[in-house]
Coordinates of all heavy atoms in Angstrom, one line a residue:
M22 N 0.8 -1.1 0.0 CA 0.1 0.0 0.0 C 0.8 1.2 0.0 O 1.9 1.3 0.7 CB -0.9 0.0 1.2 CG -1.9 1.1 1.3 SD -3.0 1.0 2.8 CE -4.3 -0.2 2.0
Q23 N 0.5 2.2 -0.8 CA 1.4 3.5 -1.0 C 1.1 4.3 0.3 O 0.0 4.3 0.9 CB 0.9 4.2 -2.2 CG 1.1 3.4 -3.4 CD 2.6 3.2 -3.6 OE1 3.5 4.1 -3.4 NE2 3.0 2.0 -4.1
K24 N 2.0 5.1 0.5 CA 1.9 6.1 1.7 C 0.7 7.0 1.6 O -0.1 7.2 2.6 CB 3.2 7.0 1.9 CG 3.1 7.9 3.1 CD 4.3 8.6 3.3 CE 4.3 9.6 4.5 NZ 5.5 10.3 4.6
E25 N 0.4 7.5 0.5 CA -0.9 8.3 0.2 C -2.2 7.4 0.5 O -3.1 8.0 1.1 CB -0.9 8.8 -1.1 CG -2.0 9.7 -1.5 CD -2.1 10.2 -2.8 OE1 -1.1 10.3 -3.5 OE2 -3.2 10.7 -3.2
E26 N -2.2 6.3 0.3 CA -3.4 5.4 0.6 C -3.5 5.2 2.1 O -4.6 5.1 2.6 CB -3.2 4.1 -0.1 CG -3.4 4.3 -1.6 CD -3.0 2.9 -2.3 OE1 -2.0 2.2 -1.9 OE2 -3.7 2.5 -3.3
L27 N -2.4 5.0 2.7 CA -2.3 4.9 4.2 C -2.8 6.2 4.8 O -3.6 6.0 5.9 CB -0.9 4.6 4.8 CG -0.4 3.1 4.4 CD1 1.1 3.1 4.9 CD2 -1.2 2.1 5.3
L28 N -2.4 7.3 4.3 CA -2.9 8.6 4.9 C -4.5 8.7 4.8 O -5.1 9.2 5.7 CB -2.3 9.7 4.2 CG -0.7 9.9 4.4 CD1 -0.1 11.0 3.6 CD2 -0.4 10.3 6.0
H29 N -4.9 8.4 3.6 CA -6.4 8.3 3.4 C -7.2 7.4 4.3 O -8.1 7.8 4.9 CB -6.7 8.1 2.0 CG -6.4 9.1 1.0 ND1 -7.2 10.2 0.9 CD2 -5.5 9.3 0.1 CE1 -6.8 11.0 -0.1 NE2 -5.7 10.5 -0.6
L30 N -6.6 6.2 4.5 CA -7.2 5.2 5.5 C -7.2 5.8 6.9 O -8.1 5.6 7.7 CB -6.6 3.8 5.3 CG -7.1 2.7 6.1 CD1 -8.6 2.5 5.7 CD2 -6.3 1.5 5.8
H31 N -6.0 6.4 7.1 CA -5.9 6.9 8.6 C -6.9 7.9 8.8 O -7.7 8.0 9.9 CB -4.4 7.5 8.8 CG -4.1 7.9 10.1 ND1 -2.7 8.2 10.3 CD2 -4.7 7.9 11.3 CE1 -2.7 8.6 11.7 NE2 -3.8 8.3 12.2
M32 N -7.1 8.9 7.8 CA -8.0 10.0 7.9 C -9.5 9.4 8.1 O -10.3 9.8 8.9 CB -8.0 10.9 6.7 CG -8.9 12.1 6.8 SD -8.6 13.1 8.2 CE -7.2 14.1 7.6
L33 N -9.8 8.3 7.3 CA -11.0 7.7 7.4 C -11.4 7.2 8.7 O -12.5 7.3 9.2 CB -11.2 6.6 6.2 CG -12.4 5.8 6.2 CD1 -13.7 6.6 5.8 CD2 -12.4 4.6 5.2
F34 N -10.4 6.5 9.3 CA -10.7 5.9 10.6 C -10.9 7.1 11.7 O -11.8 6.8 12.6 CB -9.4 5.0 11.0 CG -9.4 3.7 10.6 CD1 -10.1 3.3 9.4 CD2 -9.0 2.7 11.4 CE1 -10.1 2.0 8.9 CE2 -8.9 1.4 11.0 CZ -9.5 0.9 9.7
V35 N -10.3 8.2 11.5 CA -10.4 9.3 12.3 C -11.7 9.9 12.2 O -12.5 10.2 13.2 CB -9.3 10.4 12.1 CG1 -9.7 11.7 12.9 CG2 -8.0 9.9 12.7
H36 N -12.2 9.9 11.0 CA -13.6 10.5 10.7 C -14.6 9.4 11.3 O -15.7 9.9 11.8 CB -13.8 10.6 9.2 CG -13.2 11.9 8.7 ND1 -13.6 13.1 9.2 CD2 -12.3 12.1 7.8 CE1 -12.9 14.1 8.4 NE2 -12.1 13.4 7.6
V37 N -14.4 8.2 11.2 CA -15.3 7.1 11.7 C -15.4 7.4 13.3 O -16.5 7.4 13.8 CB -14.9 5.8 11.5 CG1 -15.7 4.7 12.3 CG2 -15.1 5.4 9.9
K38 N -14.3 7.6 13.9 CA -14.4 7.9 15.4 C -15.2 9.1 15.7 O -16.0 9.1 16.6 CB -13.0 8.0 15.9 CG -12.7 8.4 17.3 CD -11.4 8.5 17.8 CE -11.2 8.8 19.2 NZ -11.5 10.1 19.7
K39 N -14.9 10.2 14.9 CA -15.5 11.5 15.2 C -17.0 11.4 14.9 O -17.8 11.9 15.7 CB -14.8 12.6 14.4 CG -13.5 12.9 15.0 CD -12.9 14.1 14.2 CE -11.5 14.5 14.7 NZ -11.0 15.6 14.0
Y40 N -17.3 10.7 13.9 CA -18.8 10.6 13.5 C -19.5 9.8 14.6 O -20.7 10.2 15.0 CB -18.8 9.7 12.2 CG -20.3 9.5 11.8 CD1 -21.1 10.6 11.3 CD2 -21.0 8.3 12.1 CE1 -22.4 10.3 10.9 CE2 -22.2 8.0 11.6 CZ -23.0 9.0 11.1 OH -24.3 8.8 10.8
Y41 N -18.9 8.6 15.0 CA -19.6 7.9 16.0 C -19.8 8.7 17.4 O -20.8 8.7 17.9 CB -18.8 6.6 16.5 CG -19.5 6.0 17.7 CD1 -20.5 5.0 17.4 CD2 -19.0 6.2 19.0 CE1 -21.0 4.3 18.4 CE2 -19.6 5.5 20.0 CZ -20.6 4.5 19.7 OH -21.2 3.9 20.8
E42 N -18.7 9.5 17.7 CA -18.7 10.3 18.9 C -19.9 11.3 18.7 O -20.6 11.6 19.7 CB -17.5 11.0 19.2 CG -16.4 9.9 19.7 CD -15.0 10.5 20.0 OE1 -14.7 11.5 19.2 OE2 -14.3 9.9 20.6
A43 N -20.0 12.1 17.6 CA -21.0 13.0 17.4 C -22.4 12.5 17.3 O -23.2 13.1 17.9 CB -20.6 13.8 16.1
T44 N -22.5 11.3 16.7 CA -23.9 10.7 16.7 C -24.4 10.1 18.0 O -25.5 10.3 18.2 CB -23.8 9.5 15.6 OG1 -23.3 10.0 14.4 CG2 -25.1 8.8 15.4
Y45 N -23.6 9.5 18.7 CA -24.0 8.8 20.0 C -23.7 9.6 21.3 O -24.1 9.2 22.3 CB -23.5 7.4 20.1 CG -24.0 6.5 19.0 CD1 -23.4 6.2 17.8 CD2 -25.2 5.9 19.2 CE1 -23.9 5.4 16.9 CE2 -25.8 5.1 18.1 CZ -25.1 4.9 16.9 OH -25.7 4.1 16.0
G46 N -22.9 10.6 21.1 CA -22.5 11.5 22.3 C -21.5 10.6 23.3 O -21.4 11.2 24.4
D47 N -21.0 9.6 22.8 CA -20.0 8.8 23.7 C -18.7 9.2 23.2 O -18.4 9.4 22.0 CB -20.3 7.3 23.6 CG -21.5 6.9 24.2 OD1 -22.0 7.7 25.1 OD2 -21.9 5.8 23.8
E48 N -17.7 9.3 24.1 CA -16.4 9.5 23.7 C -15.7 8.1 23.7 O -15.8 7.3 24.5 CB -15.6 10.4 24.7 CG -14.1 10.6 24.4 CD -13.4 11.4 25.3 OE1 -14.0 12.0 26.1 OE2 -12.2 11.4 25.1
V49 N -15.0 7.8 22.5 CA -14.3 6.6 22.3 C -12.9 6.8 22.9 O -12.2 7.6 22.4 CB -14.4 6.1 20.8 CG1 -13.6 4.8 20.6 CG2 -15.7 6.1 20.2
C50 N -12.6 5.9 23.9 CA -11.3 6.0 24.5 C -10.3 5.2 23.5 O -10.4 4.2 23.2 CB -11.3 5.3 25.9 SG -9.7 5.4 26.7
T51 N -9.3 6.1 23.1 CA -8.3 5.7 22.2 C -6.9 5.9 22.8 O -6.1 6.7 22.1 CB -8.4 6.1 20.8 OG1 -8.5 7.6 20.9 CG2 -9.7 5.7 20.1
A52 N -6.7 5.6 24.0 CA -5.4 6.0 24.7 C -4.2 5.5 23.9 O -3.1 6.1 23.9 CB -5.4 5.4 26.1
G53 N -4.2 4.3 23.4 CA -3.1 3.7 22.7 C -2.8 4.5 21.5 O -1.6 4.8 21.1
Y54 N -3.8 4.8 20.6 CA -3.7 5.7 19.5 C -3.0 7.0 19.8 O -2.2 7.5 19.3 CB -5.0 5.7 18.8 CG -5.0 6.7 17.6 CD1 -4.4 6.4 16.5 CD2 -5.7 7.9 17.7 CE1 -4.2 7.3 15.4 CE2 -5.7 8.8 16.7 CZ -4.9 8.5 15.5 OH -4.9 9.4 14.5
D55 N -3.8 7.6 20.9 CA -3.3 9.0 21.3 C -1.9 9.0 21.8 O -1.1 9.8 21.5 CB -4.2 9.5 22.4 CG -5.7 9.6 21.9 OD1 -6.0 9.7 20.7 OD2 -6.6 9.7 22.9
G56 N -1.4 7.9 22.5 CA -0.1 7.8 22.9 C 0.9 7.7 21.7 O 2.2 8.1 22.0
L57 N 0.6 7.4 20.5 CA 1.4 7.4 19.4 C 1.8 8.7 18.9 O 2.7 9.0 18.2 CB 0.8 6.6 18.2 CG 0.6 5.1 18.5 CD1 -0.1 4.4 17.3 CD2 1.9 4.4 18.8
S58 N 1.0 9.8 19.2 CA 1.2 11.2 18.9 C 1.3 11.3 17.4 O 2.3 12.0 16.9 CB 2.4 11.8 19.6 OG 2.1 11.7 21.0
I59 N 0.5 10.7 16.6 CA 0.4 10.8 15.1 C -1.0 11.0 14.7 O -1.9 10.5 15.2 CB 1.1 9.6 14.5 CG1 1.2 9.9 12.9 CG2 0.5 8.4 14.8 CD1 2.1 8.8 12.2
S60 N -1.2 11.9 13.7 CA -2.4 12.1 13.0 C -2.2 11.9 11.5 O -1.2 12.1 11.0 CB -3.1 13.4 13.6 OG -2.5 14.5 12.8
P61 N -3.4 11.9 10.8 CA -3.3 11.8 9.5 C -2.7 13.0 8.7 O -2.1 12.9 7.6 CB -4.7 11.7 8.9 CG -5.5 11.3 10.1 CD -4.8 11.8 11.3
V62 N -2.7 14.2 9.4 CA -2.0 15.4 8.8 C -0.5 15.3 9.0 O 0.2 16.2 8.4 CB -2.5 16.7 9.3 CG1 -4.1 16.8 9.0 CG2 -2.4 16.7 10.9
H63 N 0.1 14.5 9.7 CA 1.5 14.3 9.9 C 2.1 13.6 8.8 O 2.6 12.5 8.8 CB 1.9 13.6 11.3 CG 1.4 14.4 12.5 ND1 1.1 13.7 13.5 CD2 1.5 15.7 12.7 CE1 0.8 14.7 14.5 NE2 1.1 15.8 14.0
I64 N 2.0 14.3 7.6 CA 2.6 13.6 6.3 C 4.1 13.4 6.3 O 4.5 12.5 5.5 CB 2.0 14.4 5.1 CG1 2.7 15.8 5.1 CG2 0.6 14.4 5.0 CD1 2.5 16.6 3.8
H65 N 4.8 14.0 7.2 CA 6.3 13.8 7.3 C 6.7 12.6 7.9 O 7.8 12.0 7.7 CB 6.9 15.1 8.0 CG 6.4 15.1 9.3 ND1 5.2 15.7 9.6 CD2 7.0 14.8 10.5 CE1 5.1 15.6 10.9 NE2 6.2 15.2 11.5
K66 N 5.6 11.9 8.6 CA 6.1 10.7 9.3 C 6.0 9.5 8.3 O 5.4 9.6 7.2 CB 5.0 10.4 10.4 CG 4.9 11.4 11.5 CD 5.5 10.9 12.7 CE 5.3 12.0 13.8 NZ 5.4 11.5 15.1
N67 N 6.8 8.5 8.6 CA 6.9 7.4 7.5 C 5.6 6.4 7.6 O 4.8 6.5 8.4 CB 8.2 6.7 7.8 CG 8.3 5.9 9.1 OD1 7.3 5.5 9.7 ND2 9.6 5.8 9.6
K68 N 5.7 5.6 6.6 CA 4.6 4.7 6.4 C 4.3 3.8 7.6 O 3.2 3.6 7.8 CB 4.8 3.8 5.2 CG 4.6 4.3 3.8 CD 5.0 3.5 2.7 CE 4.4 2.2 2.5 NZ 4.6 1.5 1.4
S69 N 5.4 3.2 8.1 CA 5.3 2.3 9.3 C 4.5 3.1 10.5 O 3.8 2.4 11.2 CB 6.6 1.7 9.7 OG 7.4 2.8 10.1
C70 N 4.8 4.3 10.7 CA 4.2 5.0 11.7 C 2.7 5.2 11.6 O 2.0 4.9 12.5 CB 4.7 6.4 11.9 SG 6.5 6.4 12.6
H71 N 2.3 5.4 10.2 CA 0.9 5.6 9.9 C 0.2 4.1 10.0 O -0.9 4.1 10.4 CB 0.6 6.2 8.6 CG 0.9 7.8 8.6 ND1 0.0 8.6 9.1 CD2 2.0 8.5 8.3 CE1 0.4 9.9 9.1 NE2 1.7 9.7 8.4
K72 N 0.9 3.2 9.6 CA 0.3 1.9 9.6 C 0.1 1.3 10.9 O -1.0 0.8 11.3 CB 1.3 0.8 8.8 CG 0.9 -0.6 8.8 CD 1.7 -1.5 8.0 CE 1.2 -2.9 7.9 NZ 2.1 -3.8 7.2
E73 N 1.1 1.6 11.8 CA 0.8 1.4 13.3 C -0.3 2.2 14.0 O -1.1 1.5 14.6 CB 2.2 1.7 14.1 CG 2.1 1.3 15.6 CD 3.4 1.6 16.3 OE1 4.2 2.3 15.8 OE2 3.3 1.4 17.5
A74 N -0.4 3.4 13.5 CA -1.5 4.1 14.0 C -3.0 3.6 13.6 O -3.9 3.6 14.3 CB -1.4 5.7 13.6
I75 N -3.0 3.3 12.3 CA -4.2 2.7 11.8 C -4.7 1.4 12.4 O -5.7 1.3 12.8 CB -4.1 2.4 10.2 CG1 -3.9 3.8 9.4 CG2 -5.2 1.5 9.6 CD1 -3.4 3.7 8.0
L76 N -3.6 0.6 12.6 CA -3.9 -0.7 13.3 C -4.4 -0.4 14.7 O -5.2 -1.2 15.3 CB -2.7 -1.5 13.2 CG -2.3 -2.1 11.7 CD1 -1.0 -2.9 11.8 CD2 -3.5 -3.0 11.2
M77 N -3.8 0.4 15.5 CA -4.1 0.7 16.8 C -5.5 1.4 16.9 O -6.2 0.9 17.7 CB -3.0 1.7 17.4 CG -3.3 2.1 18.9 SD -3.2 0.7 20.1 CE -1.4 0.5 20.0
L78 N -5.7 2.3 16.0 CA -6.9 3.0 16.1 C -8.1 2.1 15.7 O -9.2 2.0 16.3 CB -7.0 4.2 15.1 CG -8.3 5.0 15.1 CD1 -8.7 5.5 16.5 CD2 -8.0 6.3 14.1
G79 N -7.9 1.2 14.7 CA -8.8 0.1 14.2 C -9.1 -0.8 15.4 O -10.3 -1.0 15.7
D80 N -8.1 -1.3 16.0 CA -8.3 -2.1 17.1 C -9.1 -1.4 18.2 O -10.0 -2.1 18.8 CB -6.9 -2.6 17.5 CG -7.1 -3.7 18.8 OD1 -7.7 -4.7 18.5 OD2 -6.5 -3.5 19.8
E81 N -8.7 -0.3 18.6 CA -9.4 0.4 19.7 C -10.9 0.7 19.4 O -11.8 0.6 20.2 CB -8.8 1.6 20.2 CG -7.4 1.3 20.8 CD -6.7 2.5 21.2 OE1 -6.7 3.5 20.6 OE2 -6.0 2.4 22.3
L82 N -11.2 1.0 18.1 CA -12.6 1.3 17.6 C -13.4 -0.1 17.7 O -14.5 0.0 18.2 CB -12.6 1.9 16.3 CG -12.1 3.3 16.1 CD1 -12.1 3.6 14.6 CD2 -13.1 4.2 16.7
V83 N -12.8 -1.1 17.2 CA -13.6 -2.4 17.2 C -13.8 -2.9 18.7 O -14.9 -3.3 19.0 CB -12.7 -3.4 16.4 CG1 -13.4 -4.8 16.7 CG2 -12.9 -3.1 14.9
S84 N -12.7 -2.7 19.5 CA -12.9 -3.0 20.9 C -14.0 -2.4 21.5 O -14.8 -2.9 22.3 CB -11.6 -3.0 21.7 OG -10.7 -3.8 21.2
Y85 N -14.1 -1.0 21.4 CA -15.1 -0.2 21.9 C -16.4 -0.6 21.4 O -17.5 -0.7 22.2 CB -14.8 1.3 21.6 CG -15.8 2.2 22.2 CD1 -15.8 2.6 23.6 CD2 -16.9 2.7 21.4 CE1 -16.8 3.4 24.1 CE2 -18.0 3.6 22.0 CZ -17.9 3.8 23.2 OH -18.8 4.6 23.9
L86 N -16.6 -0.8 20.1 CA -17.9 -1.2 19.6 C -18.4 -2.5 20.0 O -19.6 -2.7 20.4 CB -17.9 -1.1 18.1 CG -17.7 0.2 17.4 CD1 -17.5 0.1 15.8 CD2 -18.8 1.1 17.7
K87 N -17.5 -3.6 20.2 CA -17.8 -4.8 20.8 C -18.2 -4.6 22.2 O -19.2 -5.3 22.7 CB -16.6 -5.7 20.8 CG -16.3 -6.4 19.5 CD -15.2 -7.4 19.5 CE -15.0 -8.0 18.1 NZ -14.0 -8.9 18.2
S88 N -17.6 -3.8 22.9 CA -18.0 -3.6 24.3 C -19.4 -2.9 24.4 O -20.1 -3.2 25.4 CB -17.0 -2.7 25.1 OG -17.1 -1.3 24.7
K89 N -19.9 -2.2 23.5 CA -21.2 -1.6 23.4 C -22.2 -2.5 22.8 O -23.4 -2.1 22.6 CB -21.1 -0.3 22.6 CG -20.4 0.8 23.3 CD -21.0 1.2 24.6 CE -20.4 2.4 25.4 NZ -21.2 2.9 26.5
G90 N -21.7 -3.6 22.2 CA -22.6 -4.6 21.6 C -23.0 -4.2 20.2 O -24.1 -4.6 19.6
L91 N -22.2 -3.3 19.6 CA -22.5 -2.7 18.2 C -21.7 -3.4 17.1 O -21.9 -3.0 16.0 CB -22.2 -1.2 18.2 CG -23.1 -0.4 19.2 CD1 -22.7 1.0 19.3 CD2 -24.6 -0.4 18.9
A92 N -20.8 -4.2 17.5 CA -20.0 -4.8 16.3 C -20.4 -6.0 15.7 O -19.9 -6.5 14.7 CB -18.4 -5.1 17.0
S93 N -21.5 -6.5 16.1 CA -22.1 -7.7 15.5 C -23.1 -7.4 14.5 O -24.2 -7.0 14.9 CB -22.7 -8.7 16.5 OG -23.8 -8.0 17.2
L94 N -22.7 -7.4 13.3 CA -23.5 -7.1 12.2 C -23.9 -8.4 11.4 O -23.2 -9.3 11.4 CB -22.8 -6.1 11.1 CG -22.4 -4.8 11.6 CD1 -21.6 -4.2 10.6 CD2 -23.6 -4.0 12.1
D95 N -25.3 -8.3 11.1 CA -25.8 -9.6 10.3 C -25.5 -9.3 8.8 O -26.0 -8.3 8.3 CB -27.2 -9.6 10.6 CG -27.7 -10.9 10.0 OD1 -27.0 -11.9 9.8 OD2 -29.0 -11.0 9.6
Y96 N -24.8 -10.1 8.2 CA -24.5 -9.9 6.8 C -24.5 -11.2 6.1 O -24.4 -12.3 6.7 CB -23.0 -9.2 6.5 CG -21.9 -10.2 7.0 CD1 -21.4 -10.9 6.0 CD2 -21.5 -10.1 8.2 CE1 -20.3 -11.8 6.3 CE2 -20.4 -10.9 8.6 CZ -19.8 -11.8 7.6 OH -18.7 -12.5 8.0
Q97 N -24.7 -11.3 4.8 CA -24.7 -12.5 4.0 C -23.5 -12.5 3.1 O -23.2 -11.6 2.4 CB -25.9 -12.5 3.2 CG -26.1 -13.8 2.4 CD -27.6 -13.8 1.7 OE1 -28.3 -12.8 1.8 NE2 -27.7 -14.8 1.0
E98 N -22.8 -13.6 3.1 CA -21.7 -13.8 2.3 C -22.0 -14.3 1.0 O -23.0 -15.0 0.8 CB -20.7 -14.8 2.8 CG -20.0 -14.3 4.2 CD -18.9 -15.2 4.6 OE1 -18.2 -15.8 3.8 OE2 -18.9 -15.4 5.8
Y99 N -21.5 -13.8 -0.1 CA -21.6 -14.1 -1.5 C -20.5 -14.7 -2.0 O -19.3 -14.2 -1.7 CB -22.1 -12.9 -2.3 CG -23.4 -12.3 -1.8 CD1 -23.5 -11.1 -1.0 CD2 -24.6 -12.8 -2.2 CE1 -24.6 -10.6 -0.6 CE2 -25.8 -12.3 -1.9 CZ -25.8 -11.1 -1.1 OH -27.0 -10.6 -0.6
S100 N -20.4 -15.6 -2.9 CA -19.3 -16.2 -3.4 C -18.9 -15.7 -4.8 O -17.8 -15.7 -5.2 CB -19.4 -17.8 -3.6 OG -20.5 -18.1 -4.5
T101 N -19.9 -15.0 -5.6 CA -19.5 -14.4 -6.8 C -20.1 -13.1 -6.9 O -21.1 -12.8 -6.2 CB -20.0 -15.4 -7.9 OG1 -21.3 -15.4 -8.0 CG2 -19.4 -16.7 -7.9
P102 N -19.6 -12.1 -7.7 CA -20.2 -10.8 -7.9 C -21.6 -11.0 -8.5 O -22.5 -10.1 -8.1 CB -19.3 -10.1 -8.9 CG -18.0 -10.9 -8.7 CD -18.3 -12.3 -8.4
D103 N -21.9 -12.0 -9.3 CA -23.3 -12.2 -9.8 C -24.3 -12.4 -8.6 O -25.5 -11.9 -8.7 CB -23.4 -13.4 -10.7 CG -22.5 -13.1 -12.0 OD1 -22.3 -11.9 -12.4 OD2 -22.0 -14.1 -12.6
E104 N -23.9 -13.1 -7.6 CA -24.7 -13.4 -6.5 C -25.0 -12.1 -5.8 O -26.1 -11.9 -5.2 CB -24.2 -14.3 -5.6 CG -24.2 -15.8 -6.1 CD -23.6 -16.8 -5.1 OE1 -23.9 -16.6 -4.0 OE2 -22.7 -17.6 -5.7
V105 N -24.2 -11.1 -5.7 CA -24.2 -9.9 -5.1 C -25.4 -9.1 -5.7 O -26.2 -8.4 -5.1 CB -23.0 -9.2 -5.0 CG1 -23.2 -7.6 -4.4 CG2 -21.9 -9.8 -4.2
I106 N -25.2 -9.1 -7.1 CA -26.2 -8.2 -7.8 C -27.6 -9.0 -7.7 O -28.6 -8.3 -7.5 CB -25.8 -8.2 -9.3 CG1 -24.5 -7.5 -9.4 CG2 -26.8 -7.7 -10.2 CD1 -23.8 -7.6 -10.8
A107 N -27.7 -10.3 -7.7 CA -28.9 -11.0 -7.6 C -29.6 -10.8 -6.2 O -30.8 -10.7 -6.1 CB -28.8 -12.4 -8.0
G108 N -28.8 -10.6 -5.2 CA -29.2 -10.5 -3.8 C -29.7 -9.0 -3.6 O -30.4 -8.7 -2.6
Q109 N -29.5 -8.0 -4.5 CA -30.0 -6.7 -4.1 C -31.4 -6.5 -4.5 O -32.3 -6.7 -5.0 CB -29.1 -5.8 -4.9 CG -27.7 -5.7 -4.4 CD -26.9 -4.7 -5.2 OE1 -27.3 -4.1 -6.2 NE2 -25.6 -4.4 -4.7

């Protein structure tokens, strides 16, 4: 994955966190992510720093959602793209 793509993914995860907090009024505790002292706008940091931040933030978001009972989504797996279209 290119650095630019990592930056976009990093920003997306930050937006997901902020959207959840604004929508539900709960603060998502991301102490591990915050401790890394890196944000998507820190473009001077290397790829590995952003990758670590993405993994940490993603893990903390999923853990928080699981603790709230919001991480279990009902979905149907499809084996081919044709089945996806037919299922819609």
Side-chain angles (χ1 to χ4, degrees):
M22 186 175 280
Q23 300 294 321
K24 183 176 179 180
E25 184 177 336
E26 294 169 320
L27 286 172
L28 291 170
H29 284 283
L30 187 58
H31 192 172
M32 182 64 77
L33 177 64
F34 275 35
V35 170
H36 281 297
V37 167
K38 177 184 183 285
K39 288 181 180 182
Y40 176 81
Y41 177 85
E42 291 175 337
T44 302
Y45 292 98
D47 290 339
E48 183 179 347
V49 180
C50 180
T51 54
Y54 171 75
D55 296 339
L57 296 175
S58 298
I59 184 171
S60 80
V62 298
H63 293 145
I64 59 173
H65 61 282
K66 300 258 183 160
N67 62 31
K68 281 175 59 172
S69 63
C70 291
H71 284 284
K72 185 176 179 180
E73 181 182 7
I75 290 166
L76 293 174
M77 178 67 70
L78 182 55
D80 183 55
E81 290 180 327
L82 288 172
V83 169
S84 295
Y85 179 82
L86 293 175
K87 279 184 179 179
S88 74
K89 292 292 186 177
L91 299 172
S93 60
L94 298 175
D95 188 27
Y96 68 95
Q97 184 175 356
E98 291 187 38
Y99 298 100
S100 59
T101 66
D103 293 333
E104 290 180 44
V105 173
I106 294 169
Q109 292 180 353

